[in-house]
């Protein structure tokens, strides 16, 4: 019909069909590249930021304090932007100020208040990273049972359990590596417990507390109707999204 009624030859029809499938393939490739680039962006951002954070913790002094003050300023701003339009914005701003002040002041105390402060701070933040990574990977691929759908629809009990276990295992690894790291940190780590199960139990407790912090912030994101607290870190969201478990 097309060939006779509209003067289109069969060769042209075959060419048109091939062009259609070719263009469809290009669209699919673009979608795949976009997804891959998002993952690459997430990994790249983490690869840039993690060494900077670790370096500031190890060096201590003004390097560490400058990092903390910069992070505190950014997260306070992100929190304000998150709650400024809420019905009780003054109360919510005050809650965020208390929440973040406790977070950063505790982290500073851990780093500067002990001879083993560098290792304690590293153990804390690396375990938090491991916990968040475990929750993301396991929850995204195997999560079935919703943890708190009214607060955070994507969080699952499988992700929560993975976060707790990954935190505990990471903490055990950091304790075991303490003697190896001591010469580089110029400190006697001296954190070997009599029973490794004590570290596992402590890690599980701290991992659960970290997830509670994540859920706490998710309540305010849900009220604001946003997925991320900001767009500072490509592939990750805001800085507040990265320290909510800390």
């Amino acid at each position: 019909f097309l060939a006779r009624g509209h003067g289109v030859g069969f060769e042209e029809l075959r060419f048109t069909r091939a062009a259609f499938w070719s263009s469809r393939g290009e669209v699919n490739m673009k979608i795949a590249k976009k997804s891959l680039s998002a993952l690459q962006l997430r990994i790249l951002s983490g690869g840039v930021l993690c060494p900077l954070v670790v370096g500031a913790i190890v060096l201590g002094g003004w390097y560490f304090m400058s990092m903390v003050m910069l992070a505190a300023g950014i997260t306070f701003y992100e929190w304000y932007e998150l709650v400024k339009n809420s019905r009780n914005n003054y109360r919510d701003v005050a809650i965020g100020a208390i929440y973040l002040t406790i977070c950063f002041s505790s982290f500073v105390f851990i780093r500067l208040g002990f001879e083993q402060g560098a290792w304690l701070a590293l153990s804390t933040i690396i375990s938090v990273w491991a916990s968040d990574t475990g929750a993301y990977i396991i929850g995204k691929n195997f999560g079935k049972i919703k943890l708190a759908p009214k607060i955070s629809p994507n969080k699952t009990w499988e992700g929560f359990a993975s976060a707790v276990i990954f935190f505990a295992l990471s903490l055990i690894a950091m304790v075991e590596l303490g003697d190896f790291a001591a010469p580089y940190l110029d400190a006697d780590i001296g954190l070997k417990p009599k029973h490794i199960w004590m570290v596992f139990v402590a890690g599980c407790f701290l991992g659960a507390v970290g997830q509670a912090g994540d859920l706490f912030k998710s309540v305010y994101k849900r009220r604001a109707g946003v997925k991320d607290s900001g767009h500072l870190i490509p592939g990750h969201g805001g800085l507040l999204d990265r320290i909510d478990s800390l």
Side-chain angles (χ1 to χ4, degrees):
F1 170 78
L2 287 172
R4 293 178 181 176
H6 296 273
V8 179
F10 288 106
E11 290 297 326
E12 292 178 66
L13 285 175
R14 282 196 289 268
F15 174 78
T16 303
R17 184 180 179 184
F20 168 76
W21 287 108
S22 175
S23 63
R24 185 176 179 180
E26 288 177 5
V27 170
N28 290 335
M29 284 296 293
K30 287 180 180 178
I31 294 172
K33 286 180 179 179
K34 186 176 180 180
S35 300
L36 185 62
S37 64
L39 178 61
Q40 289 176 335
L41 197 60
R42 191 179 182 91
I43 295 172
L44 181 61
S45 298
V48 171
L49 288 176
C50 288
L52 294 176
V53 173
V54 170
I57 291 173
V58 171
L59 291 172
W62 279 106
Y63 296 100
F64 174 72
M65 289 305 301
S66 297
M67 178 194 73
V68 170
M69 288 188 289
L70 178 62
I74 292 171
T75 51
F76 272 111
Y77 173 76
E78 289 178 343
W79 181 271
Y80 172 76
E81 288 293 311
L82 192 63
V83 303
K84 67 180 182 180
N85 294 320
S86 67
R87 286 181 293 180
N88 299 300
N89 58 340
Y90 290 109
R91 182 201 65 185
D92 293 340
V93 168
I95 289 173
I98 295 170
Y99 168 62
L100 292 170
T101 299
I102 292 173
C103 170
F104 287 110
S105 61
S106 298
F107 196 58
V108 169
F109 176 72
I110 288 172
R111 173 60 183 91
L112 303 180
F114 301 91
E115 181 187 355
Q116 310 93 341
W119 193 244
L120 289 170
L122 284 175
S123 298
T124 302
I125 200 162
I126 289 174
S127 297
V128 166
W129 290 341
S131 177
D132 287 345
T133 302
Y136 176 80
I137 294 174
I138 303 300
K140 187 176 180 65
N141 292 289
F142 304 103
K144 301 292 183 184
I145 307 171
K146 297 297 182 182
L147 175 62
K150 292 184 179 180
I151 297 175
S152 185
N154 293 327
K155 286 184 172 57
T156 62
W157 278 105
E158 292 86 351
F160 175 84
S162 301
V164 170
I165 292 172
F166 271 68
F167 194 107
L169 294 178
S170 176
L171 196 61
I172 290 173
M174 295 301 289
V175 168
E176 292 297 321
L177 289 171
D179 290 340
F180 171 78
Y184 300 96
L185 299 177
D186 193 26
D188 179 18
I189 303 299
L191 296 175
K192 285 291 182 72
K194 292 182 179 180
H195 305 287
I196 203 67
W197 65 264
M198 297 170 65
V199 180
F200 183 80
V201 171
C204 287
F205 171 74
L206 293 172
V209 171
Q211 290 304 296
D214 194 334
L215 282 172
F216 170 76
K217 190 207 61 184
S218 294
V219 170
Y220 288 89
K221 289 199 300 183
R222 186 74 168 171
R223 290 177 183 174
V226 296
K227 182 179 180 294
D228 297 317
S229 61
H231 306 283
L232 179 66
I233 308 174
H236 290 268
L239 184 59
L240 190 57
D241 295 308
R242 296 277 59 83
I243 64 100
D244 51 10
S245 297
L246 183 59

